[in-house]
């Protein structure tokens, strides 16, 4: 697959502050890449560099095999959607969609065709004569996507486009963006801090921290085999449980518990590891009830707290002096103070070196 | 649960009590004073107000007086030029300062500083600067350009433009600061979007940013226009209305009539004309701006 966007050794500094450092990224044609990270990790900055809205300090950016490092944003073949929609408030929806095209001196018929196409795809035809102030948040964001769409470009950049919407709309528009991607097959680069958005939309996710990419991989990889403790902690809600202990003779020891590690897929080719480590277990990978009998490691705990969320029930307890959360079915009848039997499958757990925090 | 709605008159009592002095002032001084002035403009009042009706005599005399006609013409020239130029200069300065420049605070202060001066000081300073014997003309001639002539205040045809220069010098800073506040209120994403759309900066200003700044423009317009209509002290300090009557303005005409010529009736008639003019401009605008049942933003 040919690469649509290539970022080579990208550096960005503001004075003495290094925001992006030696960053490399290749995004294939038609790929949906999500840049995910907490605020201040440099994900929006990276997107602005790709768009050409920020001048880079070093390195190169190629879009469609063209070096665009110093090209104007409008010449890069990109369309961009912003968190605050950034519509032109004094123009109608139609004016918003056509302003850039008119400015580029496109023929009138061509402009009309493009607006028609975009408004059909996004279902905003009835809104064309309205001004942004008369639209709801979801409609505004659709118009903003339309403005990128009419530019007829290969690469779409989204800068936290759904963050200003309420939860339900966010979920709806998320699905629509995914559908749009299936339909258009464009390259999309999408910045978000919402891991659900990232997991549901992405072909690949790049987890960023401190101006660097921690892990780049499919949502499955990132969820199942996080490369370090930060990624493991960041992805998944409720977050992963961590127990600090030792790896010894193919088992993990924490306090007076010994968790056998048969079936764990070590990152090291020798298939084993020794020394101080942290084991990470996702709350949804802990089994309860009758299934416990089939797991290689079992333990009985006392329930400290229950958080019912409807579909699931989160149970707080303590394992070997560590805070531990378990996700149970929403229908399960449990109460505080009760004893609960838990079962763990080490094949689904993650082990991290205590010092480097890298996956073992 | 209260069974009856509490009396609206006694809600927020302390706020209402605090507002009473201002309400009284507004009613008696502004509204009362205005009505009183209009009423006495139909009398033959001289040194003291007297209720001796003369009908529209004062107005007929007013519109037959050359000094008044010159005043109106001067105000029109000054007002129009001031309005256009102060907005253009103020906005351009604000747009330049908004480019994330260094020493922004210093530059902003320097440009705003003239506004902190009283019109009397401004008038006097610019009277000196524009004086051909020791002002700009003298300096340029000193550099060797012997035939250079720049003496607006001594040429009756263009004297009002000499006043305009001083007015612009003083007023641009305020407009700039207001415009700058408006520009800072614009979402940066809009700028980014316009750059992605490939819209040149000047076009973005005219078609996107300025329309978004409409409320700031309206506020600035009100401040500037009131400043123009009441222009008086600048004229007195800079030209004294001269040469001859070349820089007379309506407010000065009113003052001269009431306190120099001991002709209150004539002064009242002139000020009533000023009120009518302002009302003719403001009322239709206010109806357009605020009259609609819905507020659009």
């Amino acid at each position: 697959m040919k690469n649509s966007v290539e970022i080579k050794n990208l550096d960005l500094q503001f004075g003495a502050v290094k925001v992006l450092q030696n960053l490399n990224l290749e995004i294939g044609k038609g790929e949906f890449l999500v840049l995910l990270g907490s605020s201040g990790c440099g994900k929006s900055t990276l997107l602005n560099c790709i768009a050409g809205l920020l001048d880079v300090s070093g390195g190169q950016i190629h879009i469609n095999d063209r070096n665009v490092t110093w090209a104007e944003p409008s010449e890069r073949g990109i369309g961009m959607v912003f968190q605050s929609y950034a519509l032109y408030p004094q123009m109608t929806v139609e004016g918003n969609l056509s302003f850039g095209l008119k400015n580029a001196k496109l023929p009138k018929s061509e402009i009309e065709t493009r607006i028609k196409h975009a408004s059909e795809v996004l279902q905003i035809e009835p809104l064309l004569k309205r001004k942004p102030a008369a639209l709801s948040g979801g409609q505004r964001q659709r118009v903003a996507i339309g403005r990128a769409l009419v530019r007829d470009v290969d690469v779409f950049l989204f800068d936290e486009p759904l963050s200003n919407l309420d939860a339900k709309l966010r979920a709806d528009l998320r699905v629509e963006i995914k559908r749009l991607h299936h339909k258009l097959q464009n390259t999309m680069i999408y910045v978000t801090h919402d891991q659900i958005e990232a997991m549901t939309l992405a072909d690949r996710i790049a987890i960023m921290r401190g101006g660097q990419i921690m892990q780049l991989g499919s949502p499955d990889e990132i969820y199942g085999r996080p490369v370090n403790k930060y990624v493991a902690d960041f992805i998944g809600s409720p977050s992963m449980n961590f127990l600090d202990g030792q790896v010894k003779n193919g088992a993990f020891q924490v306090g007076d518990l010994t968790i056998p590690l048969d079936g764990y897929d070590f990152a090291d080719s020798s298939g084993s590891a020794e020394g101080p480590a942290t084991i990470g277990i996702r709350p949804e990978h802990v089994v309860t009830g009758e299934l416990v009998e089939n797991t290689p490691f079992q333990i009985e705990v006392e329930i400290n707290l229950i958080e019912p969320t409807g579909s699931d029930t989160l149970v707080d307890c303590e394992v070997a002096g560590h805070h531990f959360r378990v996700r149970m079915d929403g229908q399960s009848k449990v109460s505080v103070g009760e004893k609960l039997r838990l079962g763990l499958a080490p094949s689904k757990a993650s082990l991290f070196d205590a010092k480097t925090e890298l996956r073992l | 649960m209260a069974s009856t709605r509490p009396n609206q008159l006694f809600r927020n009592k302390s706020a209402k009590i605090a507002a009473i002095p201002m309400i009284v002032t507004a009613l008696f001084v502004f509204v009362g004073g205005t009505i009183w002035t209009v009423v006495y403009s139909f009398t033959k009042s001289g040194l003291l107000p007297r209720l001796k009706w003369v009908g529209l005599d004062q107005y007929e005399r007013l519109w037959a007086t050359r000094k008044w006609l010159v005043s109106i013409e001067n105000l029109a020239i000054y007002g129009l030029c001031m309005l256009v130029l102060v907005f253009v200069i103020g906005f351009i300065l604000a747009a330049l300062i908004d480019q994330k420049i260094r020493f922004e605070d210093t530059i902003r202060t320097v440009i705003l500083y003239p506004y902190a001066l009283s019109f009397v000081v401004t008038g006097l300073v610019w009277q000196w600067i524009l004086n051909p014997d020791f002002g700009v003309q003298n300096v340029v001639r000193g550099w060797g350009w012997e035939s250079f002539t720049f003496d607006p205040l001594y040429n009756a045809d263009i004297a009002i433009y000499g006043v305009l220069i001083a007015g612009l010098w003083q007023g641009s800073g305020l407009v700039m600061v207001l415009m700058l506040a408006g520009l800072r209120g614009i979402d940066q994403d809009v700028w980014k979007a316009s750059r992605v759309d490939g819209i040149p900066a000047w076009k973005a200003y005219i078609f996107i940013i300025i329309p978004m700044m409409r409320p700031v423009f309206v506020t600035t317009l009100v401040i500037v226009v009131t400043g123009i209509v009441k222009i008086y002290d600048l004229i007195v300090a800079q030209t004294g209305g001269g040469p001859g009557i070349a820089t007379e303005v309506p407010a000065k005409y009113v003052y001269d009539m009431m306190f120099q010529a001991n002709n209150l009736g004539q002064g009242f008639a002139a000020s009533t004309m000023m009120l009518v003019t302002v009302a003719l401009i403001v009322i239709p605008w206010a109806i357009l701006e605020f009259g609609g049942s819905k507020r659009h933003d």
Side-chain angles (χ1 to χ4, degrees):
Chain A
M1 192 160 56
K2 216 174 85 185
N3 283 328
S4 175
V5 178
E6 280 176 47
I7 294 157
K8 298 173 181 168
N9 307 320
L10 191 73
D11 280 310
L12 181 77
Q13 288 164 249
F14 293 127
V17 185
K18 288 182 176 171
V19 186
L20 299 174
Q21 291 178 57
N22 197 23
L23 197 139
N24 287 285
L25 188 59
E26 289 178 357
I27 302 156
K29 230 180 178 55
E31 189 179 10
F32 199 122
L33 182 95
V34 172
L35 301 174
L36 178 65
S38 50
S39 55
C41 71
K43 57 192 192 302
S44 283
T45 312
L46 174 59
L47 196 75
N48 279 317
C49 286
I50 297 172
L53 296 166
L54 279 175
D55 288 341
V56 301
S57 313
Q60 292 187 339
I61 297 168
H62 291 248
I63 296 178
N64 284 334
D65 292 326
R66 202 161 60 89
N67 186 344
V68 294
T69 314
W70 298 105
E72 276 295 304
S74 55
E75 293 159 3
R76 294 185 175 207
I78 53 143
M80 192 158 176
V81 179
F82 299 88
Q83 178 179 356
S84 62
Y85 325 128
L87 297 176
Y88 311 138
Q90 305 299 328
M91 296 181 195
T92 59
V93 169
E94 199 172 8
N96 268 283
L97 296 180
S98 64
F99 192 54
L101 304 180
K102 275 184 194 155
N103 197 61
K105 302 256 181 327
L106 250 69
K108 238 188 183 138
S109 56
E110 172 72 16
I111 296 178
E112 267 168 35
T113 323
R114 286 197 193 177
I115 290 182
K116 195 160 179 293
H117 174 245
S119 52
E120 271 172 18
V121 170
L122 296 163
Q123 295 162 3
I124 50 173
E125 290 145 306
L127 311 175
L128 284 179
K129 300 291 174 205
R130 289 208 219 159
K131 284 196 176 170
L135 303 179
S136 69
Q139 290 170 330
R140 282 182 212 186
Q141 198 50 286
R142 247 181 260 193
V143 175
I145 295 171
R147 194 169 54 183
L149 206 60
V150 293
R151 286 178 56 73
D152 202 14
V153 289
D154 299 323
V155 180
F156 275 27
L157 308 177
F158 293 89
D159 192 358
E160 308 209 18
L162 307 182
S163 301
N164 280 9
L165 303 173
D166 63 56
K168 187 175 174 337
L169 255 179
R170 202 179 305 165
D172 292 349
L173 258 170
R174 196 172 70 208
V175 175
E176 266 185 56
I177 289 178
K178 185 150 193 167
R179 209 172 280 150
L180 190 72
H181 180 240
H182 278 301
K183 198 164 181 178
L184 302 173
Q185 292 298 325
N186 285 26
T187 309
M188 293 190 176
I189 306 175
Y190 187 106
V191 164
T192 184
H193 61 258
D194 183 323
Q195 45 169 308
I196 308 286
E197 266 172 42
M199 297 297 275
T200 51
L201 289 172
D203 293 327
R204 280 196 302 166
I205 297 176
I207 303 232
M208 291 186 67
R209 185 195 193 187
Q212 286 173 318
I213 294 176
M214 297 262 105
Q215 186 171 6
L216 176 63
S218 70
D220 257 5
E221 267 170 54
I222 294 215
Y223 176 80
R225 290 183 63 87
V227 292
N228 59 30
K229 201 177 154 191
Y230 176 80
V231 174
D233 193 27
F234 190 80
I235 287 287
S237 171
S239 57
M240 202 180 244
N241 298 300
F242 292 107
L243 306 175
D244 298 327
Q246 301 270 339
V247 181
K248 228 182 230 170
N249 308 326
F252 185 82
Q253 295 185 337
V254 49
D256 42 11
L257 294 178
T258 303
I259 304 170
L261 290 175
D262 309 320
Y264 180 77
D265 187 11
F266 280 97
D268 195 275
S269 51
S270 65
S272 68
E274 292 286 319
T278 304
I279 192 167
I281 300 153
R282 296 202 180 277
E284 55 271 34
H285 290 161
V286 181
V287 292
T288 52
E290 293 158 11
L291 295 169
V292 172
E293 301 308 322
N294 305 327
T295 54
F297 177 77
Q298 296 157 20
I299 182 178
E300 195 176 69
V301 294
E302 193 183 308
I303 298 174
N304 289 336
L305 194 75
I306 296 169
E307 296 171 79
T309 65
S311 58
D312 308 301
T313 299
L314 302 179
V315 173
D316 266 34
C317 53
E318 214 167 85
V319 171
H322 292 75
H323 181 76
F324 201 88
R325 271 165 129 185
V326 180
R327 181 140 107 194
M328 294 176 71
D329 188 66
Q331 303 302 315
S332 28
K333 297 270 174 286
V334 285
S335 54
V336 175
E338 261 181 23
K339 297 275 184 213
L340 187 67
R341 271 195 84 71
L342 307 178
L344 303 178
S347 58
K348 284 186 172 175
S350 294
L351 275 172
F352 303 103
D353 188 285
K355 220 189 217 147
T356 62
E357 301 202 336
L358 294 176
R359 187 181 183 85
L360 289 174
Chain B
M1 235 169 63
S3 54
T4 55
R5 191 185 162 94
N7 191 335
Q8 293 296 302
L9 195 64
F10 296 110
R11 285 184 62 203
N12 300 329
K13 236 181 288 172
S14 47
K16 281 175 180 161
I17 292 169
I20 284 175
M22 197 54 222
I23 293 171
V24 171
T25 314
L27 278 180
F28 283 82
V29 177
F30 295 133
V31 180
T34 305
I35 293 168
W36 191 89
T37 304
V38 173
V39 168
Y40 274 82
S41 72
F42 298 104
T43 69
K44 214 181 139 187
S45 303
L47 177 62
L48 292 170
R50 280 185 306 156
L51 273 173
K52 265 201 131 181
W53 304 106
V54 289
L56 290 171
D57 270 11
Q58 297 285 15
Y59 292 91
E60 278 165 26
R61 264 186 61 205
L62 179 69
W63 287 103
T65 309
R66 206 171 99 66
K67 192 174 160 188
W68 172 252
L69 296 176
V70 170
S71 301
I72 295 283
E73 192 191 330
N74 279 338
L75 186 65
I77 295 173
Y78 175 85
L80 215 66
C81 295
M82 180 77 180
L83 199 61
V84 173
L85 290 176
V86 90
F87 266 88
V88 171
I89 295 172
F91 187 82
I92 289 175
L93 285 174
L96 292 178
I97 284 192
D98 196 32
Q99 307 303 313
K100 296 200 177 93
I101 54 166
R102 246 188 250 186
F103 307 119
E104 184 200 312
D105 291 357
T106 317
I107 294 172
R108 211 174 45 204
T109 311
V110 167
I111 297 176
L112 183 61
Y113 233 119
Y115 190 71
L117 299 179
S118 84
F119 262 130
V120 175
V121 177
T122 304
L124 215 56
V125 167
W126 279 93
Q127 190 193 344
W128 294 335
I129 294 175
L130 298 177
N131 186 309
D133 292 331
F134 42 81
V136 176
Q137 178 177 320
N138 184 39
V139 171
V140 175
R141 284 189 180 176
W143 291 340
W145 185 357
E146 297 291 347
S147 61
F148 180 79
T149 316
F150 186 65
D151 56 349
L153 296 185
Y154 292 82
N155 182 344
D157 293 335
I158 56 168
I160 191 67
Y161 297 101
V163 178
L164 179 68
I165 293 173
L168 282 175
W169 179 76
Q170 169 142 16
S172 299
L174 179 74
V175 176
M176 176 205 74
V177 170
L178 291 169
M179 295 288 158
L180 189 59
L183 284 174
R184 289 286 149 84
I186 302 283
D187 180 4
Q188 285 301 308
D189 280 356
V190 171
W191 277 113
K192 289 181 181 176
S194 79
R195 281 186 67 193
V196 171
D197 266 352
I199 294 155
W202 66 270
K203 253 191 183 173
Y205 271 116
I206 293 176
F207 293 107
I208 302 167
I209 304 300
I210 292 180
M212 285 176 81
M213 284 170 60
R214 189 191 148 104
V216 177
F217 270 83
V218 171
T219 309
T220 313
L221 187 76
V222 171
I223 293 173
V224 170
V225 168
T226 49
I228 289 170
V229 174
K230 69 183 186 193
I231 177 94
Y232 167 75
D233 28 13
L234 181 62
I235 301 282
V236 170
Q238 203 180 352
T239 67
I245 55 166
T247 55
E248 291 289 344
V249 286
K252 184 164 177 298
Y253 182 89
V254 171
Y255 179 85
D256 287 351
M257 279 302 158
M258 281 162 60
F259 303 110
Q260 311 275 306
N262 292 337
N263 193 344
L264 282 181
Q266 182 65 188
F268 292 155
S271 42
T272 305
M273 284 320 302
M274 286 176 71
L275 176 72
V276 169
T277 316
V278 172
L280 281 180
I281 298 169
V282 170
I283 291 173
W285 167 77
I287 291 172
L288 274 180
E289 184 73 20
F290 305 111
S293 53
K294 264 186 282 172
R295 281 289 289 131
H296 304 285
D297 53 340

